[in-house]
Amino acid sequence: MRIENEVMRKHKGCGLPKRFSLLIEATIYTQLFGGVFNMSRRDKMWVETANPPDIPSRQGRYMLPETHISPLTGHVECLPEKLCINGSLIEVRGRQSSIILNSQFSILNSQFSIKFMGILETIVANKRREVANQKAAVSLDRLLAMGATRLGRPVHSMRGALERSSSGIIAEFKRRSPSKGWLHAGARVEEVVPAYERAGAAACSVLTDGDFFGGSLGDLQRARAQVRLPLLRKDFIIDEYQLFQARVMGADAVLLIAAALTRSECLRLARTAHALELEVLLEIHHERELAFLHPEIDMLGVNNRNLGTFHTAVENSFRLMERIRAEAGTGTSSPLPVSESGLSEAATVARLREAGFRGFLIGETFMKTGRPGEALAAFIQQINRPA
């Protein structure tokens, strides 16, 4: 039986969009009475169930039960697209963020609490499950045995390439992002990465996360077979196993994200990376994350995109540079500064270089054009054009 809800009210004081308020009601309904939740684009909701409850109806349509929400924290910036119910754990995935509803029900008043999980937390939680499955399928010993011949491959220094480059562009191969969706769904590594090399990229970043960025370790392996550029494995590294994967598949450097790690985890992973002859790019967004700096860091990336809200502001790089100089210095033993995200203008890159940055990670600007190599070539031409 299809039970449709056209309740158009908004819960007082909770500050949630109307559609999300309806989602909460449908969530409670499915938890209490069972069934499958659906939602249309016009604020209509229905639940398909074999056991409709005895609740008031209007014009033959069942109304979802009244709810009381307590307490409510957080903020939702996107419309939900997917609802997954597993016992009392409810995951709502949206275009730009995900939330977890940790429901503790009282059937009489339908009280429950809501814990909001940001996109970074969601990705890291998913990554932990993914890595656990990979380790169960292919043990570390087996991984090393399968890639034994590749472990002797000479690595290419990404830091050295950036220091020598007149542009400092780290061109990124990225099919999609959680914030923008698909950029270039049909992009092939065999076409894009060699085009980046011909256009003059100093290095190449390859996204290997599948669920949120549309990448794979296979992309990294194919890129290695195509070019001599330094390759950065860009992923959410949380386990040493991923570092061995990176080395076997052809990476020269790995990304460590301060916001996804503790300081001790970051140090341990960086030391393991160096033992595997991989360079380390540490990514920060906030000034407080400068505390993650240690001698094992080769490059320091300032992400201009807040991974919690996806708000992007290039000024973040300029703002943090003074603190970077104070904390890390400017000598040859200091980490090489890299600016990441939101770089779409050659003039901005020129300003960042004047401020002291030597690397510039750019992906979306090139990938969304459909001809990433040509877009990079034109971009570098603008950078090198005399003022």
Side-chain angles (χ1 to χ4, degrees), residues 66-134:
E66 292 286 339
T67 64
H68 172 65
I69 305 172
S70 175
L72 184 65
T73 60
H75 180 63
V76 177
E77 296 183 350
C78 65
L79 299 179
E81 292 179 332
K82 182 178 180 182
L83 178 69
C84 306
I85 301 178
N86 180 13
S88 64
L89 187 66
I90 305 163
E91 181 177 358
V92 184
R93 291 189 178 180
R95 294 185 184 90
Q96 295 185 19
S97 63
S98 297
I99 63 171
I100 297 295
L101 307 184
N102 185 14
S103 307
Q104 299 173 335
F105 286 103
S106 166
I107 292 180
L108 293 178
N109 58 15
S110 299
Q111 288 185 344
F112 64 97
S113 61
I114 299 180
K115 175 186 177 183
F116 287 84
M117 180 177 283
I119 185 62
L120 178 61
E121 294 172 284
T122 302
I123 292 174
V124 171
N126 185 73
K127 189 61 60 177
R128 294 191 190 285
R129 293 190 293 269
E130 177 186 303
V131 172
N133 291 336
Q134 290 173 342

Side-chain angles (χ1 to χ4, degrees), residues 162 281 298-302 321 324 329 334-339 356-360:
L162 293 175
L281 170 60
D298 303 289
M299 294 158 284
L300 179 62
V302 177
M321 178 50 84
I324 291 172
S334 304
L336 186 100
V338 176
S339 182
F357 287 90
R358 290 296 175 265
F360 311 95

